[in-house]
């Protein structure tokens, strides 16, 4: 099931990144294309998704939870807890190339936190509807200047907001972030049990720990929400379904 889930998401995200079309409608932008870096030197087949997908994919690929999942599901190394690896000769785990690169996770984490703010900004813009001169919502306001804007709320707005909430829960429950916030401190427990007033960082550590305990669930929920957000925006842009929205 893990292999099917991760494999399906990997194939879909590659397909979506290569499309280079139908990634925006009205105020909505697919999270696969967010930042929407477009430069004049880019040939028409070069999708803006190629410039940004490395950061979230690198973050997921080196995540401690996903490592466990794909080591088991794809490599059978090991297939489960207390089951032999199947080969013992020359196996160096994460101490040698290529798996030593998993240590880059903490750096991908910095980029992932940045993306939370970018996607949060997109979610706010997802309630700022671009209008043409006749007062209709424009389908492609990212490439053609709108006449005006009105605030509103649509199903797409809710999809983008839910996506950024789930991605935040996944990102802020990261093991590397937990270490950065307090995991490296030895005496939180003695402070918490009757010592001086716990520092503010202890509260942050507790919150990150709460998310960290649910890291697997948020990993899957956010994986699904990113894919569904792209499918939703793509479907509206292609005319497969209509977005329901109202303007204030
Ligand atoms: Fe999973 Fe960092 S450990 S995101």
């Amino acid at each position: 099931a893990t292999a099917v889930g991760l494999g399906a998401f990997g194939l879909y995200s590659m397909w979506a990144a290569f499309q280079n079309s139908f990634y925006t409608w009205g105020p909505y932008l697919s999270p696969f294309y967010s930042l929407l870096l477009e430069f004049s030197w880019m040939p028409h087949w070069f999708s803006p998704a190629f410039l940004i997908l490395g950061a979230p994919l690198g973050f997921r690929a080196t995540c401690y939870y996903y490592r466990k999942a794909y080591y088991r599901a794809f490599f059978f190394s090991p297939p489960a807890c207390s089951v032999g690896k199947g080969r013992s000769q020359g196996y160096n785990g994460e101490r040698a190339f290529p798996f030593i690169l998993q240590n880059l996770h903490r750096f991908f984490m910095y980029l992932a936190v940045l993306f939370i703010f970018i996607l949060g900004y997109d979610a706010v813009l997802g309630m700022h509807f671009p209008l043409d001169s006749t007062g209709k919502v424009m389908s492609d306001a990212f490439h053609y200047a709108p006449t005006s804007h009105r605030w509103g709320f649509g199903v797409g707005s809710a999809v983008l907001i839910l996506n950024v909430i789930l991605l935040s829960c996944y990102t802020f429950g990261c093991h590397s972030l937990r270490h950065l916030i307090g995991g490296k401190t030895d005496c939180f427990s003695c402070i918490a049990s009757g010592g001086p007033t716990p520092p503010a960082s202890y509260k942050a550590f507790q919150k990150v720990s709460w998310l960290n305990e649910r890291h697997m669930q948020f990993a899957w929920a956010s994986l699904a929400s990113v894919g569904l957000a792209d499918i939703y925006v793509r479907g509206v842009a292609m005319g497969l379904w209509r977005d329901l929205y109202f303007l204030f």
Side-chain angles (χ1 to χ4, degrees), residues 222-241:
S222 60
L223 195 77
S225 75
V226 175
L228 289 176
D230 180 84
I231 290 172
Y232 184 81
V233 174
R234 190 169 294 280
V236 177
M238 293 174 75
L240 298 180
W241 49 75

Side-chain angles (χ1 to χ4, degrees), residues 59-60 62-66 105 109 170-171 173-177 212 215 219:
F59 183 55
R60 296 230 176 216
T62 57
C63 163
Y64 287 65
Y65 164 67
Y66 283 115
H105 184 64
M109 184 267 290
Y170 169 61
T171 304
C174 168
H175 290 69
S176 290
L177 185 71
N212 183 261
H215 197 51

Side-chain angles (χ1 to χ4, degrees), residues 146-235:
T147 306
S148 60
H149 283 89
R150 273 178 71 184
W151 289 99
F153 196 84
V155 175
S157 317
V159 167
L160 295 184
I161 290 171
L162 180 68
N163 180 45
V164 84
I165 289 173
L166 291 173
L167 278 174
S168 302
C169 291
Y170 169 61
T171 304
F172 293 119
C174 168
H175 290 69
S176 290
L177 185 71
R178 183 169 179 264
H179 175 79
L180 194 70
I181 293 220
K184 61 186 183 299
T185 306
D186 286 338
C187 70
F188 270 144
S189 55
C190 53
I191 293 172
S193 60
T197 313
S201 57
Y202 181 59
K203 285 251 179 286
F205 178 69
Q206 282 181 310
K207 289 190 169 57
V208 170
S209 296
W210 188 89
L211 293 172
N212 183 261
E213 286 163 16
R214 294 155 183 81
H215 197 51
M216 180 183 81
Q217 289 85 341
F218 285 126
W220 282 106
S222 60
L223 195 77
S225 75
V226 175
L228 289 176
D230 180 84
I231 290 172
Y232 184 81
V233 174
R234 190 169 294 280

